[in-house]
Amino acid sequence: MPATSAKRLRSGLGPSLMMFALTVTMAGCDAAGSEQNAGESATSRVPHLTTANKKGMPLDDYLLNPSQFEDVKSAYSQSIAKCVRSYGMTFETPNPSATPSALPDSPTTRIDGRFGFQSMTYAKKWGYHPPGGISKNKEKATKNTDADPDKWFALTGSRNIKEMSGPGGVLRNGKRVPSHGCVGSAVMQLTGSRDGQIGDADISTDLKFETLIKARNDPRTLRVFSLWSDCMREIGYSYGGPLDASSDPRWTESEKPTKEEIEIAVADQKCRKRHNVVGIWFAVDSEYQERAVTDNRAALSEAKKQLDRQVNAARKILLTH
């Protein structure tokens, strides 16, 4: 199966160059043959769970957790801002309070929950909506660069405002801008190289999404999804699987959850509990991750070294800024 792609933070991100962009491209994938059915013994150690958010997973050690993610993100943006200001230019860092918070039932050991909504309490209050509902106020994003060529040059090392990085050079005031500008300097502080990659290593991210898809297509998971679907149909709702219910496009049409959305979200949690959907799904997903760690131990060990370097460097930056 081809690796699932994901957009990752590198030294040449988009115009803002301040925030991580984590876009998951989920494509259909067949997990067939012996790979799909391997490890059936895992069903003998399936936990009974309504939520897996407090359960660790094998790949967690090779990926940024939410706290580390925030540290690296903040250190990256603060390092860029300090560098740009050293050239006598203004540059604002994002307001931490403006950063979207995680769902109340989100895990603390990994960025993504993987198993969808897992809280009856939350379902009864917000359905599938984010906390507080969906804001319909669309504010125009502002660029720190203000279309200022000199500021863009200091930021990226490129004199072309349409380019995300360049070789650097000398500003009109005589100060030298290094290759990739202040963005490159921030990347170097965190990774040790101006061309380094901030965030999770490709190997860790690829394995995370590959195992995610394999687990969702495993016969054991599909079987329990079918039981969940039958349960929902008995209550009066028709969905092929739990993620179909939570991703129903109707839920994005209103700022606050509708009565029907809450009823479906509550039924979803009831059917998950009745058939131990999360427990089976978690066991199968963990099994694929265990195998992925075993098969890629050397590469993952190197990925962890780079991850630890970023986290340690980020903490030092935050202490000195």
Side-chain angles (χ1 to χ4, degrees), residues 1 6 9 41 127 154 206 211 265 288 309 319:
M1 181 187 73
L9 182 65
S41 60
D206 287 343
T211 55
Y288 279 108
R309 188 194 192 289
L319 286 174

Side-chain angles (χ1 to χ4, degrees), residues 10-298:
R10 298 181 184 275
S11 57
L13 267 184
S16 66
L17 293 166
M18 298 297 289
M19 304 293 286
F20 283 97
L22 299 177
T23 300
V24 180
T25 302
M26 298 304 297
C29 177
D30 292 329
S34 61
E35 181 179 63
Q36 183 185 49
N37 297 302
E40 288 285 349
S41 60
T43 55
S44 65
R45 50 189 173 91
V46 172
H48 289 274
L49 301 171
T50 54
T51 175
N53 286 333
K54 293 184 179 180
K55 302 281 287 184
M57 299 189 73
L59 282 173
D60 287 352
D61 287 343
Y62 308 98
L63 297 158
L64 290 170
N65 64 41
S67 176
Q68 292 170 335
F69 175 85
E70 288 301 323
D71 283 348
V72 171
K73 181 179 67 176
S74 296
Y76 174 70
S77 60
Q78 288 186 33
S79 179
I80 291 175
K82 183 178 181 179
C83 175
V84 172
R85 290 170 190 153
S86 73
Y87 291 102
M89 304 173 187
T90 59
F91 199 88
E92 298 300 321
T93 56
N95 181 355
S97 63
T99 302
S101 58
L103 291 172
D105 68 335
S106 295
T108 57
T109 58
R110 51 189 177 274
I111 297 294
D112 52 347
R114 296 181 78 89
F115 311 107
F117 289 81
Q118 304 167 70
S119 168
M120 177 62 84
T121 301
Y122 189 88
K124 289 179 177 178
K125 185 174 183 179
W126 294 110
Y128 297 112
H129 270 56
I134 300 172
S135 174
K136 295 296 183 180
N137 296 324
K138 296 182 179 179
E139 298 179 2
K140 291 185 178 180
T142 58
K143 291 183 179 180
N144 278 299
T145 56
D146 298 324
D148 181 340
D150 279 349
K151 186 180 291 187
W152 187 257
F153 180 50
L155 185 66
T156 67
S158 173
R159 297 186 187 279
N160 185 343
I161 206 162
K162 294 181 180 181
E163 294 179 352
M164 298 303 164
S165 65
V170 179
L171 280 166
R172 283 196 294 265
N173 61 11
K175 289 188 176 182
R176 177 165 291 279
V177 174
S179 173
H180 302 326
C182 289
V183 170
S185 297
V187 171
M188 184 169 66
Q189 275 191 287
L190 288 164
T191 70
S193 169
R194 304 192 77 81
D195 295 309
Q197 177 175 316
I198 296 178
D200 299 322
D202 289 351
I203 181 68
S204 303
T205 305
D206 287 343
L207 290 174
K208 178 176 75 170
F209 292 124
E210 285 177 12
T211 55
L212 179 71
I213 294 173
K214 288 176 181 177
R216 288 182 184 176
N217 286 278
D218 186 280
R220 293 160 291 176
T221 311
L222 294 177
R223 191 179 306 126
V224 79
F225 281 1
S226 179
L227 292 172
W228 175 93
S229 183
D230 290 343
C231 174
M232 290 290 284
R233 194 173 295 108
E234 290 173 9
I235 301 174
Y237 307 111
S238 180
Y239 290 102
L243 298 183
D244 294 329
S246 59
S247 62
D248 191 321
R250 291 180 297 165
W251 312 148
T252 63
E253 296 174 358
S254 59
E255 291 188 35
K256 298 294 173 64
T258 63
K259 182 175 181 290
E260 182 183 24
E261 177 185 343
I262 289 177
E263 289 174 348
I264 290 175
V266 168
D268 176 1
Q269 294 305 313
K270 288 180 179 178
C271 290
R272 281 169 172 252
K273 183 177 181 179
R274 180 186 298 178
H275 294 291
N276 193 28
V277 172
V278 176
I280 293 171
W281 192 355
F282 169 80
V284 174
D285 204 340
S286 294
E287 174 191 304
Y288 279 108
Q289 286 201 9
E290 285 177 6
R291 190 180 310 120
V293 170
T294 299
D295 293 345
N296 298 273
R297 198 170 298 281

Side-chain angles (χ1 to χ4, degrees), residues 297-317:
R297 198 170 298 281
L300 287 172
S301 178
E302 288 302 312
K304 182 166 174 53
K305 288 179 184 177
Q306 177 58 9
L307 205 66
D308 291 343
R309 188 194 192 289
Q310 288 183 58
V311 172
N312 291 332
R315 288 169 181 164
K316 289 179 181 177
I317 291 170

